[in-house]
Amino acid sequence: MIDFLLDASGLSAGYGETIVLEDLSLRVGAGEAVAILGRNGVGKSTLLLSLLGLTTRHGGVLRYRGEDISSWPAYKRARAGLALVPQEREIFKSLSVEENLQVSAMGDGNGGERGGNGWTLDRVYDLFPRLHERRRNLGNQLSGGEQQMLAIGRALIGNPRVILFDEPFEGLAPVIVDQLVDAFWKLRANGGMGVVLVEQHAELGLELTDRALVLDRGREVWAGRSSDLAASPELLATLVGLESA
Ligand SMILES: Nc1ncnc2c1ncn2[C@@H]1O[C@H](COP(=O)(O)OP(=O)(O)OP(=O)(O)O)[C@@H](O)[C@H]1O
Ligand SMILES: [Mg+2]
């Protein structure tokens, strides 16, 4: 019986000898979404990169579907079903929307069996009709919102079991954020993916998730049910700062 898709315990990690994260624990179950909250520079992106094997590990254990993957290289974690929607979006600017998606679909070496969610080009277009309209456009001709849709589509089409979002709504107009939030709920409803959502806007992050982890300077300062923290605005304000609560 596998209880958690991802189970990090006592994780310490950073860049080379520099330690950024200390003693963090995080569990993500199938169909569950966990928010990572905290001010700028507290280590949210570093935590996602650490789950993906893209930082230097200084301690702790990371299990994926019950298996210790702490020493697995990034490519092996990706192949096993961990996907990132990066903060910088990182789409191919000189490829069309459809080519961007096709390139990512090729990475799904298990023929769509990786997460069993069966994401295909058509299903990504169903989720984001805008991408279908823009399928012949090059990456560098897309708006910020369209780029974010494409970044999400690229992650999904690899059929991940766990999808990590790094501030997917950052810098986008409210109407586009609403569309992406809709899509977020649809993809959550679509099979038992585990979701980790890094979000600066704590209220939104809490609304979209089941549990939350709040970081400050690389350490846990709060962990628990998102609804509990959302119900305590004063606590939230002290944890993440008034401006983002
Ligand atoms: N490649 C790197 N090499 C060395 N230090 C880094 C590197 N990337 C980030 N850091 C440092 O790690 C710390 C955490 O950065 P990180 O990007 O994880 O924070 P964050 O919470 O994602 O911030 P933001 O909200 O601005 O995206 C910062 O002190 C940052 O300077
Ligand atoms: Mg970041």
Side-chain angles (χ1 to χ4, degrees):
M1 175 72 193
I2 297 163
D3 290 320
F4 293 98
L5 282 173
L6 260 194
D7 183 352
S9 78
L11 209 65
S12 295
Y15 303 93
E17 303 209 327
T18 309
I19 296 180
V20 174
L21 305 176
E22 282 191 80
D23 195 24
L24 289 185
S25 294
L26 171 77
R27 287 172 160 182
V28 188
E32 190 177 38
V34 180
I36 310 294
L37 308 176
R39 298 179 177 91
N40 279 120
V42 296
K44 303 181 300 295
S45 296
T46 302
L47 176 52
L48 297 190
L49 296 177
S50 300
L51 298 175
L52 292 164
L54 295 168
T55 60
T56 310
R57 186 172 64 101
H58 291 277
V61 175
L62 178 63
R63 292 182 186 281
Y64 174 65
R65 307 178 75 207
E67 188 170 359
D68 185 345
I69 65 162
S70 308
S71 54
W72 284 20
Y75 78 88
K76 199 171 166 189
R77 299 184 196 201
R79 199 182 280 167
L82 297 180
L84 174 69
V85 181
Q87 194 163 9
E88 311 302 334
R89 293 165 193 158
E90 293 174 20
I91 58 172
F92 295 110
K93 304 257 179 189
S94 58
L95 298 183
S96 71
V97 165
E98 191 144 304
E99 286 164 347
N100 264 279
L101 291 167
Q102 283 164 339
V103 165
S104 302
M106 287 191 300
D108 184 2
N110 297 342
E113 290 304 309
R114 204 186 288 175
N117 290 316
W119 285 95
T120 58
L121 199 57
D122 286 344
R123 284 192 52 208
V124 169
Y125 286 151
D126 281 346
L127 185 66
F128 296 118
R130 188 77 188 138
L131 289 183
H132 184 253
E133 289 164 24
R134 305 283 266 155
R135 65 190 181 280
R136 306 275 169 246
N137 285 91
L138 299 183
N140 62 12
Q141 299 167 329
L142 303 177
S143 70
E146 291 163 351
Q147 287 182 33
Q148 189 59 267
M149 291 172 192
L150 182 53
I152 295 169
R154 288 193 55 193
L156 288 174
I157 210 164
N159 280 299
R161 282 183 200 276
V162 179
I163 186 164
L164 314 174
F165 290 93
D166 199 345
E167 303 201 34
F169 314 116
E170 190 185 14
L172 301 175
V175 57
I176 307 295
V177 171
D178 289 347
Q179 288 173 21
L180 287 168
V181 163
D182 274 356
F184 184 86
W185 282 119
K186 279 185 193 148
L187 70 89
R188 279 206 60 191
N190 233 310
M193 259 190 306
V195 174
V196 180
L197 173 66
V198 167
E199 184 51 57
Q200 280 259 356
H201 298 97
E203 284 181 346
L204 179 60
L206 292 172
E207 203 178 298
L208 295 176
T209 54
D210 306 297
R211 287 186 301 108
L213 169 64
V214 185
L215 303 183
D216 191 16
R217 277 164 287 172
R219 289 179 171 270
E220 173 186 317
V221 288
W222 193 90
R225 296 192 57 80
S226 300
S227 54
D228 290 345
L229 189 51
S232 308
E234 286 178 15
L235 174 61
L236 184 59
T238 50
L239 290 172
V240 301
L242 285 168
E243 70 285 359
S244 49

